[in-house]
Amino acid sequence: MTAQPSDRPLALVTGASRGIGAATARLLAATHDVLLGGRDVDALTALAAELPGARPCPVDVTDYAALADSVAGIPRLDVLVHSAGVVTVAPLADIPAAEWHRVLDVNVVAVAELTRLLLPALRAARGRVVLVNSGSGLRGRPDWGLYAASKFALRAYADVLRDEEAEHGVRVTSVFPGRTDTDMQREVWALESDGDYRPERYLRVETVAEAIRYAVQAPPDAQVVDLAFRPGP
């Protein structure tokens, strides 16, 4: 993910191969050079071809040695958007330790490690970190215990990071969208329902991306701390 010199600010978006990450990359590309993080090389390459100033940066965020190598050449970063994530829907009694490790590794540990690696670059730019959380990061409910635990942890991480990095000018925003029309949502629907999937019941990925852009482009005298929203009536 080495960054080439440019007059435009630089953003890195994880989970950029699809869904909220891809929609966010498309919006930010109007004003930023964008590094497209993710595992799907073909999807990242296709998206980069659409967006001037965008480059695919394929990496598995849980391969920490590869992750460190991939960001080693970034001296300055204006925006870091954490959009990558996984979900498990099951009763707590049915979730083995290996699944806890998998979900927490992607949703929390990888976020913390990538941010740690990029803090010098974010501090140099007085940059902004946006963490895509979930309504499950505000309230736990049956069958969503593991996912909620990961998102509550992500919320706590963001709150502490915000306070610790304030002296360096780094701003941190948690975004809490309600259910959104993504591939992940379709997978969840298949587990929960036997009816027809109706995308109009959910937020559009572009709507979530607009919220992220709002946090990124907030005036310098403001820090957007939390953004929570859900599908309209």
Side-chain angles (χ1 to χ4, degrees):
M1 294 186 189
T2 54
Q4 300 298 321
S6 171
D7 293 334
R8 302 208 307 169
L10 180 66
L12 167 59
V13 180
T14 70
S17 60
R18 60 179 183 168
I20 293 169
T24 300
R26 287 189 173 96
L27 280 183
L28 292 182
T31 53
H32 293 69
D33 290 339
V34 184
L35 300 172
L36 306 171
R39 292 184 295 178
D40 188 332
V41 177
D42 291 340
L44 295 176
T45 301
L47 181 58
E50 294 179 27
L51 307 175
R55 288 184 292 115
C57 302
V59 67
D60 181 344
V61 293
T62 63
D63 182 342
Y64 299 120
L67 194 64
D69 288 342
S70 70
V71 300
I74 301 176
R76 180 183 176 93
L77 184 66
D78 298 272
V79 177
L80 173 59
V81 178
H82 291 287
S83 182
V86 294
V87 64
T88 287
V89 181
L92 292 175
D94 296 341
I95 304 174
E99 187 64 5
W100 278 90
H101 282 287
R102 183 185 78 91
V103 172
L104 292 172
D105 207 19
V106 175
N107 291 1
V108 184
V109 180
V111 170
E113 178 63 1
L114 179 58
T115 305
R116 184 187 71 83
L117 292 168
L118 287 169
L119 274 179
L122 287 162
R123 290 169 176 171
R126 299 179 69 83
R128 306 192 184 215
V129 180
V130 181
L131 302 99
V132 179
N133 203 295
S134 164
S136 293
L138 299 171
R139 182 176 67 90
R141 53 196 177 88
D143 294 340
W144 288 80
L146 171 50
Y147 185 66
S150 74
K151 292 301 185 178
F152 268 72
L154 190 65
R155 178 186 180 186
Y157 171 79
D159 290 345
V160 174
L161 181 70
R162 183 181 306 112
D163 288 347
E164 289 184 351
E165 291 301 314
E167 65 179 296
H168 301 290
V170 177
R171 304 180 188 198
V172 180
T173 302
S174 289
V175 176
F176 299 91
R179 293 202 173 197
T180 305
D181 179 27
T182 62
D183 291 344
M184 181 185 291
Q185 184 60 55
R186 290 175 182 270
E187 294 169 5
V188 169
W189 166 84
L191 294 172
E192 292 185 323
S193 174
D194 56 3
D196 293 333
Y197 181 82
R198 295 175 57 185
E200 67 273 12
R201 291 183 173 180
Y202 307 113
L203 293 166
R204 298 180 305 117
V205 293
E206 293 82 5
T207 300
V208 182
E210 285 285 4
I212 293 169
R213 181 166 67 172
Y214 172 78
V216 167
Q217 296 183 343
D221 63 333
Q223 175 171 207
V224 180
V225 175
D226 297 325
L227 275 173
F229 50 102
R230 61 185 181 182

